[in-house]
């Protein structure tokens, strides 16, 4: 069976990837910080789908956690989903710089290091895929969060171009850029999402379906949902100052 390695696997988009890939017959390596919840998630997937689901408790904001993830992902992994992430509770000057640096470690350094660790084996085998979960915020103005997600998009496109000639299309790297998805993300960041209209919300299972479909097609930047494809396309045509005014406050009210 092929093996998928998923970070941030106990909730939201990560859990949706785990369920979908298990139903498709993938064995799983699941990484998250909460060891007890992680083992419950793995056990549930083993029971329901009769796949091997390994729990790897690790905190990607620490050197120990990152090293453990790097070591494991160097083994036979056919699909890496770099999904772990979070939002800080407040706008830039209201957030301790230590928390901002932690965000960069999880959103950027972990993505870089795990992608770097997994690709040599994939290239040697001539197959594999990396999905780096970014955000539609990468195309907007969202402080450190948006900046880190913009880095994920640029990084993923660059790596995909770098390996293109070596992999003959058998190894693919893609940035996944969903918009607002109903998960625990906003609650944890204590965000008031009441001003986001219903039509802008995406279902996490639909996001995963779109991601896997685009990965198979060789798409390098996947933007699930017609509403977000339109928003990103229009945003590229507008002055950056206007995009900043429109995007900097939507969905960023803190409780």
């Amino acid at each position: 069976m092929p093996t998928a390695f998923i970070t941030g696997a106990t909730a939201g988009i990560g859990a949706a990837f785990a369920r979908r890939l298990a139903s498709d017959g993938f064995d799983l390596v699941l990484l998250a910080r909460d060891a007890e919840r992680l083992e419950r998630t793995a056990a549930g997937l083993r029971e329901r789908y009769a796949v091997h689901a390994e729990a790897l408790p690790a905190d990607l904001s620490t050197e120990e956690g990152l090293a453990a993830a790097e070591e494991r992902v160097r083994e036979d992994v056919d699909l890496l989903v770099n999904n772990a992430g979070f939002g800080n509770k407040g706008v830039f000057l209201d957030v301790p710089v230590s928390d901002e640096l932690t965000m960069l470690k999880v959103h950027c350094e972990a993505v870089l290091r795990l992608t770097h660790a997994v690709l040599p084996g994939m290239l040697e085998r001539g197959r594999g895929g990396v999905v780096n979960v970014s955000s539609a915020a990468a195309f907007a103005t969202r402080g450190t969060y948006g900046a880190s997600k913009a880095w994920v998009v640029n990084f993923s496109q660059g790596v995909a171009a770098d390996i293109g000639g070596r992999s003959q299309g058998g190894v693919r790297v893609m940035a996944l850029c969903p918009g607002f998805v109903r998960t625990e993300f906003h609650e944890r960041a204590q965000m008031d999402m009441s001003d986001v209209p219903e039509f802008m919300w995406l279902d996490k299972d639909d996001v995963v379906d779109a991601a896997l479909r685009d990965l198979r097609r060789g798409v390098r930047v996947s933007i699930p949902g017609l509403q977000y494809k339109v928003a990103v396309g229009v945003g590229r045509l507008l002055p950056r100052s206007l995009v900043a005014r429109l995007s900097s406050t939507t969905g960023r009210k803190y409780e």
Side-chain angles (χ1 to χ4, degrees), residues 3-186:
T3 299
F5 187 111
I6 306 169
T7 71
T10 56
I13 294 173
F17 265 109
R19 290 191 300 271
R20 167 60 188 275
L21 292 170
S23 72
D24 287 348
F26 278 75
D27 286 335
L28 303 172
V29 182
L30 308 177
L31 183 148
R33 292 181 299 172
D34 186 332
E36 183 178 344
R37 186 180 186 186
L38 183 62
E39 183 49 49
R40 286 199 308 269
T41 299
L45 292 166
R46 288 192 292 264
E47 181 177 354
R48 180 173 181 182
Y49 298 105
V51 296
H52 178 75
E54 174 186 341
L56 178 60
D59 183 348
L60 295 180
S61 71
T62 68
E63 182 58 35
E64 180 183 18
L66 266 172
E70 281 180 303
E71 181 178 0
R72 181 60 185 85
V73 84
R74 287 191 180 99
E75 300 178 28
D76 287 349
V77 168
D78 300 281
L79 176 63
L80 168 63
V81 181
N82 277 314
N83 169 74
F86 64 94
N88 280 322
K89 302 172 185 177
V91 295
F92 181 64
L93 290 180
D94 296 333
V95 177
V97 72
S98 59
D99 291 351
E100 299 281 28
L101 291 171
T102 297
M103 175 177 283
L104 293 178
K105 194 169 188 72
V106 174
H107 288 185
C108 301
E109 183 179 345
V111 169
L112 184 153
R113 289 173 61 172
L114 295 187
T115 302
H116 192 277
V118 80
L119 280 176
M122 289 182 175
L123 289 169
E124 183 177 349
R125 294 187 296 274
R127 67 181 189 280
V130 177
V131 177
N132 292 325
V133 179
S134 178
S135 169
F139 308 102
T141 302
R142 309 290 287 189
T144 304
Y145 181 84
S148 68
K149 293 303 186 179
W151 181 90
V152 171
V153 173
N154 199 302
F155 168 75
S156 300
Q157 290 177 298
V159 174
D162 285 347
I163 68 170
R166 297 174 59 187
S167 69
Q168 287 78 50
V171 181
R172 294 168 179 172
V173 177
M174 184 183 80
L176 171 62
C177 303
F180 294 116
V181 182
R182 295 197 186 279
T183 68
E184 299 175 7
F185 176 91
H186 303 102

Side-chain angles (χ1 to χ4, degrees), residues 208-246:
V208 171
D209 288 346
L212 295 177
R213 181 173 61 250
D214 283 347
L215 185 67
R216 287 193 299 269
R217 292 169 53 212
V219 173
R220 292 184 179 181
V221 179
S222 173
I223 303 173
L226 178 61
Q227 65 273 55
Y228 286 101
K229 288 181 172 65
V230 171
V232 170
V234 170
R236 287 171 171 159
L237 302 176
L238 296 176
R240 292 297 299 171
S241 58
L242 178 58
V243 173
R245 289 200 299 274
L246 293 173

